[in-house]
Amino acid sequence: VVVEGTIGMERSWNIGASFLHKFKWLERKWAFGVDAYGTIFETQVVTDLDRSPQTVAIYMLDGASYATSVLTDLQVDLSRSFQLKGSYRFYDVRSTYDGRLLERPFTPAHRGLLDLAYTAPNEHWRFDITLNLFGKGRIPSTVSNPEAYRMMERSPGYGTLHAQVTRVIGAWEVYLGAENLTST
């Protein structure tokens, strides 16, 4: 680990907007939302994993760095008990590493979510299952390693599945949940 120069405070400009529209269609309640946010960094602490696979360099930003996020969300009440939600997020995060503007490593640009929720009519039971999808992400360069120890340039996409059941007993809620049922 190499710390270069004096590490200072981070400063950035942030801007965002949000839109939500609720409507009825096909005798169902729907909600559609879009959130867009951007951050431009003036100063930032950079953790550089690209300089060498054997070195983590930490220094203050010298160049551009930004994060842009656009989230779309669609929800529908399938019935009084079932709700379905789908979301998609585009995430563009880039920083300057040793003079090169690169995607931030391990940060997938594309993400998705699909959620199905059930609430019993008496509201004593709730069930929820969620599928999270993650696109490919940039892996820091390992090109200087011997060939046997080089990694691919991008990680594969993957999904995780989570489930939860909740029992409401008076003022108490007891739940049992499982995460990452896909073991990825």
Side-chain angles (χ1 to χ4, degrees):
V1 176
V2 177
V3 178
E4 298 175 351
T6 302
I7 302 300
M9 297 289 291
E10 293 188 334
R11 295 179 194 268
S12 64
W13 290 93
N14 300 290
I15 188 168
S18 188
F19 168 81
L20 177 64
H21 178 63
K22 294 182 178 182
F23 58 98
K24 283 195 84 161
W25 183 49
L26 301 173
E27 298 182 24
R28 305 273 189 264
K29 291 181 182 179
W30 296 75
F32 174 72
V34 176
D35 296 316
Y37 295 96
T39 302
I40 299 172
F41 291 92
E42 290 184 350
T43 60
Q44 181 182 35
V45 177
V46 174
T47 303
D48 188 344
L49 303 173
D50 284 283
R51 184 175 290 174
S52 164
Q54 293 77 31
T55 303
V56 175
I58 300 171
Y59 51 85
M60 292 304 292
L61 176 70
D62 183 16
S65 182
Y66 63 86
T68 304
S69 172
V70 179
L71 171 70
T72 59
D73 184 60
L74 183 63
Q75 299 177 50
V76 59
D77 290 343
L78 298 173
S79 68
R80 289 182 186 232
S81 296
F82 284 97
Q83 294 82 35
L84 181 65
K85 177 180 179 177
S87 296
Y88 167 77
R89 177 181 299 236
F90 172 72
Y91 204 41
D92 184 18
V93 183
R94 296 178 188 262
S95 291
T96 301
Y97 302 96
D98 283 335
R100 297 176 300 154
L101 184 63
L102 301 172
E103 290 176 64
R104 183 165 300 157
F106 312 115
T107 306
H110 305 283
R111 300 174 185 195
L113 176 138
L114 193 57
D115 181 79
L116 180 62
Y118 170 79
T119 303
N122 63 10
E123 298 186 5
H124 292 296
W125 288 98
R126 292 194 305 260
F127 301 90
D128 187 82
I129 188 162
T130 303
L131 175 64
N132 287 299
L133 299 170
F134 299 87
K136 297 177 179 182
R138 185 178 77 79
I139 295 176
S141 177
T142 57
V143 71
S144 63
N145 280 348
E147 191 168 335
Y149 300 104
R150 293 181 189 164
M151 299 186 71
M152 55 190 144
E153 292 181 11
R154 302 193 74 75
S155 65
Y158 64 96
T160 59
L161 187 65
H162 314 289
Q164 178 175 311
V165 59
T166 303
R167 172 71 169 137
V168 179
I169 305 166
W172 292 85
E173 291 188 11
V174 179
Y175 75 93
L176 176 66
E179 295 186 357
N180 198 12
L181 295 169
T182 54
S183 296
T184 55

